[in-house]
Amino acid sequence: MNPGAGLPILRLGDILISGLLSDLDDTTALRFTDELTTRISDEGIRGVILDISRLEIIDSFVARVLMELAATGRVLGARMIVAGMRPAVAITLSGLGLRLTGVQTALNAEQAMELLGWRPPTEAAEEAPHAS
């Protein structure tokens, strides 16, 4: 995580997990976008989860940032998943005429991880072959 960006970006294998906040300002958005896209490229990231469950409402600026992040990540070869979208946010995006083209959605971050092939450790351990 880059403390200057203001938003944490966590890495789990070849997946990055981060989130957006409704009080996102221009400077933070630019730093976050730069750090996320640099890490996708430099670290060979195959999947990115943007958890927006903390967004209770969304304005056109945050929606634009979300769309740009998703498009840029896809161009760099990462599978982009937006997780935790609240109904009010979905309604606002539709009302603004904005589409998250090419972006998968998930009800929560855990479901997004499963879409990227991650399984909870207990499931993975149960399915692993046991030594005899």
Side-chain angles (χ1 to χ4, degrees), residues 14-43:
D14 57 359
I15 297 170
L16 295 179
I17 305 168
S18 192
L20 291 181
L21 305 173
S22 57
D23 58 351
L24 193 64
D25 60 61
D26 290 355
T27 303
T28 303
L30 289 173
R31 285 186 193 152
F32 178 69
T33 301
D34 183 54
E35 181 181 356
L36 186 67
T37 55
T38 298
R39 290 187 63 183
I40 289 170
S41 177
D42 291 352
E43 299 174 25

Side-chain angles (χ1 to χ4, degrees), residues 5 7 9 18-37 40 48 50-52 55 58-74 80 82 93 96 98-100 103:
L7 297 172
I9 301 173
S18 192
L20 291 181
L21 305 173
S22 57
D23 58 351
L24 193 64
D25 60 61
D26 290 355
T27 303
T28 303
L30 289 173
R31 285 186 193 152
F32 178 69
T33 301
D34 183 54
E35 181 181 356
L36 186 67
T37 55
I40 289 170
V48 176
L50 293 172
D51 185 344
I52 63 169
L55 288 179
I58 191 167
D59 60 19
S60 59
F61 173 72
V62 175
R64 183 176 52 84
V65 168
L66 180 61
M67 290 173 42
E68 288 174 2
L69 279 170
T72 304
R74 279 192 331 273
M80 305 296 290
V82 174
L93 285 175
L96 292 171
L98 301 174
R99 299 181 137 194
L100 298 177
V103 177

Side-chain angles (χ1 to χ4, degrees), residues 70-92:
T72 304
R74 279 192 331 273
V75 169
L76 292 172
R79 188 169 166 193
M80 305 296 290
I81 301 176
V82 174
M85 186 178 305
R86 294 175 185 237
V89 172
I91 291 167
T92 302

